[in-house]
Structures are given as structure tokens and as C-alpha cells.
Amino acid sequence: MAHRIGIIGGDGIGPEVLAEALKVIDAAGVAYEPVHYDLGGARYLATGEVLPDAVLAELATLDAILLGAVGTPEVPPGVLERGLLLKMRFALDLYVNHRPFLAPPSALNGGVDMIVIRENTEGSYAGEGGFLRKDTPHEIATQGSVNTRMGVERCVRYAFDLAQSRAARRVHLVHKTNVLTFAGDLWQRTFDIVAREYPDVTTGYDHVDAACIHFVQRPEKYDVIVTDNLFGDILTDLGGAIGGGIGRAASGNLNPARTGPSLFEPVHGSAPDIAGTGVADPRAAIISAAMMLEFLGETDAAARIHEVVRGSDDITGSTSDVGSRIAERV
Ligand code: IPM
Ligand code: MN
């Protein structure tokens, strides 16, 4: 049966890179039924709607969702982030953000082959906090970090399962346990308890600031990294920079329990400054599509796309040239 896939092109370069990802899925011979959604900054500006409940309910019935990018300069910060992206992550319980990084050895380091597993529904993204005495000289703003044993454990467990399936079989916890002594303690204890169930997986721990140095100077020490939502957000932009550029950084927002669809998207944003110029690299969207196919059980097609993209350094040109040439090779 054809997979029913929600397509959210979004804004800026989002629709441009997604069109290339769909070209490549077609070339791989995977049957799917696209269900297109008009969501993002353009819809918000035209109608005031971000993610109507009826649309969210429909998205929940799909097999997977592929998203380009959302955001336009005219929309105030937070509206689309909280109202659309985070709403989908939370409502669809996409509790793992799986972000792979790959790059050959360079003058800087011995090569990158790591996956960051970012907790995706809690931490400082949870929206806990608020204002007191707003707009007065005594204004107070608090923004808490929510860490549940259940939320941390399911994410840590996913990281260990993943590590066990890889050659290096290594997991690092990245946090800031020396300062965040409550949240950090919960993460460290949970990590240690889960680790006992995986005696063949090697474990390590780095503070997030030190991890930033190691990402640049010796990323080869890392295999799987598990970390909280905000640290994971920041670390994965750095991962993009060392892993072949943000143009290749892909992500899967996963519901590993498969109680609903998972959502796949490039790590990059809508880049309004280059929209319409045809210079956006569609590889991050194409790799995201391959990750989606893998999650849907289309393992051969996914492996083929990954292999072609890995060997595509010689392909240059416009967004659609790059997409077409990758599609031809697939
Ligand atoms: C990402 C993005 C999002 C995040 C924003 C756009 C809400 O930066 O996917 O990394 O912070 O998670
Ligand atoms: Mn980010």
C-alpha cells in the first residue's frame, strides 16, 4: 500500500528543496500518496491561522510528514516556532530528534560519523514559566526546564538501542551536570541505570561546553550522543557546521513508539534571503526524505539515496540541477 505522506513545503527555500526531495523519492521507485498542506508564514499572514486543530487531527492520521522550512521575516518570533513546529513535535509525541552528521577526515580532525539524539518534547522548550509585573521596572520573566523521568528514559533508551546497532557501539551523555544539578542529576542517573541493560555499549559523559571543543577538534571520539532539547538544538547546528555544512544536516522528529506519524525536515531554516535564487542546497531535504523512507521500512531505497548523496560532491549547480542529477543516479 502506498505511504500517505504529508507534504509541508512552508516558506522561503522550503518548497524549493522539498520539490527536489520528492523527485528523488520518485526516482527511487517508492510509491506514495502526497497530501499537501499549506502551512507556514504565508498562511499565517493571509489568514491568521498557524495550525488549526482540524489540520493537526488530519496530520495525525498520516504515515509520515516531510517538511521543508517555515518562517518569514514579517512573522514575529515564536508564532510559527511554538504554534506550528513545536506544536507538532509535542502533539504528535515526536520525542526523539535524530540528527546524523557525516564528513570525511580533514585537516581539522579525523572525520565525523555521529548521531545526536536530542530530546524533543521537554527541557526548556516545554514552555514552562511566564511573566510577573510585565512592562514595569520590576518585571520578572522565568523560563523553566521540564525533565521527566519517563521523557528522559525513553530518549536515552532510543540512543542505546541505536548505538547497539552501530559498529562503534558508543554513547555519550552531554549535559551540564556540574551546574544544572537537578536536571543533570536526573539525566545522569537515568543514563547510568539504562546503561546497565547494554553491557556491550561503551559509555561516556561530556559537559556541553567541553563537547563543543571536541566537536571541532576530535569529533571522531563520538558515535551516538544523547542530550536535552536546548543543548541538542545548539550542538546540532555545530554538528551541521563540522558535518559537511548545514546544507547536508537532516533530521527525523521521531515517534519511535509509532503511535502516529514521524516528521522529517532539514535542520536549516527558510533562508528568505536566498529564496527564489536557486542556490539552496537540496541535500538536507533529500537526506531527510531518505531517513523517512528508512523509518517507513523502505530500506533499499533509503540506502541507495544515502549512498548517492554521499558521493555527490561533484554535483554542482542550481537547486533543481542538483536534485535532478541526484535523482538520475538513484
Ligand atoms: C531546529 C530549529 C527549531 C528548534 C526552531 C525553529 C523552533 O532551530 O529544528 O533546530 O529550535 O528546535
Ligand atoms: Mn536549531
Side-chain angles (χ1 to χ4, degrees), residues 14-273:
E16 301 169 24
V17 295
L18 217 51
E20 303 313 311
L22 298 183
K23 245 187 222 175
V24 174
I25 297 178
D26 287 336
V30 176
Y32 68 97
E33 182 197 327
V35 189
H36 290 272
Y37 291 91
D38 170 23
L39 294 169
R43 175 166 181 170
Y44 173 72
L45 292 172
T47 68
E49 290 173 326
V50 179
L51 179 59
D53 288 344
V55 176
L56 179 59
E58 208 185 300
L59 288 172
T61 69
L62 299 168
D63 294 320
I65 301 164
L66 198 53
L67 184 142
V70 296
T72 52
E74 300 83 30
V75 180
V79 173
L80 298 171
E81 289 85 350
R82 291 221 84 90
L84 181 53
L85 291 174
L86 299 184
K87 190 163 172 185
M88 287 191 292
R89 288 178 188 175
F90 295 175
L92 300 173
D93 207 15
L94 309 177
Y95 61 86
V96 162
N97 200 325
H98 178 122
R99 296 185 158 178
F101 302 101
L102 202 60
S106 70
L108 267 182
N109 59 57
V112 179
D113 183 2
M114 63 160 100
I115 301 176
V116 176
I117 301 306
R118 163 186 176 189
E119 200 291 320
N120 213 29
T121 56
E122 305 191 338
S124 20
Y125 277 65
E128 194 268 346
F131 294 109
L132 272 177
R133 313 190 199 109
K134 193 163 186 215
D135 292 324
T136 75
H138 299 278
E139 176 165 355
I140 296 170
T142 61
Q143 190 106 44
S145 172
V146 174
N147 300 265
T148 71
R149 173 60 196 261
M150 179 278 295
V152 172
E153 182 170 337
R154 63 185 183 174
C155 184
V156 166
R157 201 170 284 285
Y158 177 89
F160 274 92
D161 283 335
L162 176 66
Q164 204 162 42
S165 74
R166 288 166 59 85
R169 292 193 174 171
R170 206 157 56 231
V171 189
H172 279 82
L173 171 65
V174 171
H175 208 282
K176 186 76 185 176
T177 54
N178 54 343
V179 173
L180 305 182
T181 50
F182 309 128
D185 191 70
L186 174 62
W187 272 86
Q188 183 75 69
R189 270 184 294 121
T190 307
F191 182 84
D192 292 344
I193 289 167
V194 172
R196 285 188 219 134
E197 294 169 35
Y198 298 83
D200 50 345
V201 175
T202 315
T203 59
Y205 170 82
D206 281 319
H207 293 317
V208 64
D209 46 354
C212 288
I213 296 179
H214 296 172
F215 261 48
V216 175
Q217 294 184 344
R218 49 187 204 111
E220 59 276 11
K221 74 177 268 193
Y222 293 122
D223 179 30
V224 174
I225 288 172
V226 63
T227 190
D228 90 346
N229 209 340
L230 183 59
F231 294 146
D233 177 49
I234 299 164
L235 270 180
T236 54
D237 266 28
L238 184 54
I242 60 159
I246 197 76
R248 288 175 188 236
S251 71
N253 295 266
L254 308 180
N255 173 340
R258 296 180 188 263
T259 55
S262 291
L263 183 153
F264 299 81
E265 58 174 338
V267 174
H268 65 67
S270 58
D273 51 326

Side-chain angles (χ1 to χ4, degrees), residues 290-311:
M291 289 170 65
M292 176 185 79
L293 295 182
E294 200 175 325
F295 198 76
L296 290 172
E298 302 283 357
T299 43
D300 292 346
R304 180 78 195 122
I305 297 171
H306 280 305
E307 187 192 329
V308 170
V309 174
R310 271 200 295 275

